[in-house]
């Protein structure tokens, strides 16, 4: 249990940028930060290394960011998996297996994400955007796909957080989310999958372009 707690807390510190890419972290330092013994921290760092968030470096680890080519590959895999989960969620909706309250929750988080994005609250937008996509993956009912997505989301978030800038077209991003919600709510798997795939790949393209424009 302590190992899981240590892993969760260290993951949060990495994902929110407290430990940015390139930061070196030792067992002793992490244990002091978490106010825990070194044993669960040691195991937690091994778990994070297995997930690709850190790599061993001497007596500690270094936070890892994906290089541009690897990041492109990560987005490609994410696009395929999110297309799958969107299709599954829409199919389950068509079969009457998704509760109305769950669809309302999806719409609500889409609205919250749109508001945060439009207002330029980047940290909130990142958190809510991930919650939006995770909600769809949960509605898909495929635990393996969700676990795979969690790992990819983590790697992408760590790799892009340091260069995060306001999206040049926040209304476009929100419109894509709305189209995706509508396709799922309407029980249209093929449409939902196509929209999800295009959205993820478009996100990579616009993220790269916005970064270059602000360089």
């Amino acid at each position: 249990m302590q190992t899981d707690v240590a892993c969760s807390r260290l993951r949060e510190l990495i994902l929110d940028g407290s430990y940015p890419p390139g930061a070196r972290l030792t067992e002793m330092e992490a244990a002091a930060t978490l106010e825990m013994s070194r044993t669960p921290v040691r195991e937690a760092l091994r778990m994070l290394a297995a997930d690709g968030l850190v790599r061993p470096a001497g007596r500690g680890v270094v936070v890892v960011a994906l290089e541009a080519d690897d990041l492109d590959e990560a987005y490609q895999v994410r696009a395929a998996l999110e297309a799958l989960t969107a299709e599954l969620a829409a199919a389950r909706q068509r079969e009457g297996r998704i509760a109305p309250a769950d669809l309302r929750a999806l719409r609500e988080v889409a609205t919250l994400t749109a508001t945060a994005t439009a207002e330029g609250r980047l940290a909130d937008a990142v958190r809510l955007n991930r919650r939006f996509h995770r909600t769809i993956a949960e509605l898909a009912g495929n635990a393996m796909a969700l676990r795979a997505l969690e790992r990819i989301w983590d790697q992408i978030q760590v790799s892009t957080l340091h260069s995060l800038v306001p999206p040049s077209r926040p209304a476009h991003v929100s419109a894509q989310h709305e189209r995706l919600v509508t396709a799922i709510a309407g029980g249209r798997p093929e449409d939902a999958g196509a929209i999800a795939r295009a959205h993820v790949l478009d996100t990579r393209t616009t993220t790269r372009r916005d970064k270059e424009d602000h360089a």
Side-chain angles (χ1 to χ4, degrees), residues 6-200:
C7 187
S8 178
R9 291 175 62 186
L10 287 173
R11 189 187 303 276
E12 290 174 1
L13 291 171
I14 292 172
L15 293 179
D16 71 12
S18 297
Y19 294 128
R24 190 171 184 277
L25 185 61
T26 66
E27 289 178 17
M28 185 177 297
E29 291 168 340
T33 297
L34 301 182
E35 298 182 339
M36 300 176 69
S37 66
R38 292 176 63 177
T39 299
V41 169
R42 182 182 305 119
E43 293 304 315
L45 291 177
R46 288 174 180 167
M47 293 169 66
L48 293 172
D51 285 342
L53 291 182
V54 300
R55 61 174 173 79
R59 293 181 178 274
V61 298
V62 171
V63 178
V64 174
L66 298 175
E67 297 295 336
D69 289 345
D70 292 331
L71 190 57
D72 285 338
E73 291 181 2
Y75 270 101
Q76 290 169 1
V77 176
R78 176 187 164 188
L81 285 172
E82 290 203 23
L84 171 64
T85 54
E87 289 174 5
L88 292 174
R92 294 183 75 227
Q93 166 64 7
R94 186 174 58 190
E95 296 164 1
R97 299 169 60 196
I98 294 181
D102 290 335
L103 283 178
R104 286 197 298 273
L106 179 61
R107 290 190 181 281
E108 287 171 4
V109 72
T111 299
L112 291 172
T113 304
T115 300
T117 302
E119 294 177 353
R121 293 185 282 112
L122 297 187
D124 288 340
V126 168
R127 175 178 56 81
L128 289 165
N129 181 70
R130 178 154 175 174
R131 182 175 153 197
F132 171 77
H133 290 286
R134 180 187 171 87
T135 299
I136 293 174
E138 290 172 341
L139 293 177
N142 187 311
M144 186 173 292
L146 176 57
R147 287 194 298 270
L149 277 169
E150 288 282 16
R151 177 172 178 171
I152 292 172
W153 286 331
D154 282 351
Q155 292 179 314
I156 289 175
Q157 185 168 330
V158 170
S159 303
T160 58
L161 194 61
H162 69 288
S163 59
L164 199 63
V165 296
S168 57
R169 297 186 295 166
H172 176 67
V173 174
S174 299
Q176 288 180 323
H177 281 183
E178 181 57 35
R179 289 179 59 215
L180 181 52
V181 172
T182 299
I184 291 172
R188 296 183 280 114
E190 290 187 6
D191 289 346
I195 293 168
R197 182 187 297 274
H199 171 60
V200 173

